[in-house]
Amino acid sequence: MKVGTMFHDVSTSLFRKPVTEKYPFELREPPERLRGQLLWDPEKCTGCGLCAMDCPANAIEMIVLDRKAKRYVMAYHVDRCLFCAQCVHSCRQGCLQMSTDEWELAALNKESYTLYRGDRQDVELVLAGKVPADLAASQ
Ligand code: SF4
Ligand code: SF4
């Protein structure tokens, strides 16, 4: 490259608006059909486990604490999820959907990639390992 051309490029770049985006300070509108993290509505859930069974990535554990009382905990392994939405199609109760705006899923440690959902006390029981193995209907 000629020195004159280089000087011209440098000088015009100095006064041009940057083309890079100021992420994370400026966010683009996500696409309409974006598949972000999995959302679960426990109210409609029957604990059938179909979502976990059909997930090709073993990203869902559906832990049934008490079926009659509808006490379920979902462990969602975001780092395994392929965002394929198979679980959404498999759920006959319509309680799963892919978020269209929750897509910033990076974390600083591996533990943060497992999201526990359900009643807070039930989640605490699961985390404390107080759920008998035969009640944990994962996969
Ligand atoms: S979106 Fe696909 S990979 Fe992710 S939890 Fe659902 S079935 Fe599994
Ligand atoms: S498939 Fe639906 S109803 Fe069955 S355990 Fe999964 S979320 Fe609940």
Side-chain angles (χ1 to χ4, degrees), residues 6-20:
M6 195 168 75
F7 183 73
H8 175 264
D9 287 350
V10 170
S11 56
T12 49
S13 299
L14 278 176
F15 300 105
R16 200 182 291 151
K17 203 174 159 236
V19 290
T20 47

Side-chain angles (χ1 to χ4, degrees), residues 121-136:
Q121 285 179 341
D122 288 343
V123 170
E124 279 169 10
L125 279 178
V126 170
L127 289 175
K130 291 189 179 154
V131 179
D134 55 341
L135 282 182

Side-chain angles (χ1 to χ4, degrees), residues 40 44-51 62 74 90-91 93 95-96:
W40 175 53
K44 296 190 251 170
C45 184
T46 60
C48 68
L50 265 182
C51 51
M62 188 56 72
M74 174 190 268
S90 298
C91 178
Q93 310 304 321
C95 40
L96 293 173

Side-chain angles (χ1 to χ4, degrees), residues 50-87:
L50 265 182
C51 51
M53 247 183 306
D54 288 355
C55 173
N58 290 339
I60 300 175
E61 292 173 61
M62 188 56 72
I63 302 158
V64 180
L65 280 83
D66 184 341
R67 198 177 294 277
K68 272 192 186 158
K70 287 178 73 71
R71 287 174 60 201
Y72 315 120
V73 171
M74 174 190 268
Y76 171 45
H77 301 280
V78 187
D79 54 340
R80 296 186 204 158
C81 183
L82 308 168
F83 305 95
C84 63
Q86 177 57 57
C87 52

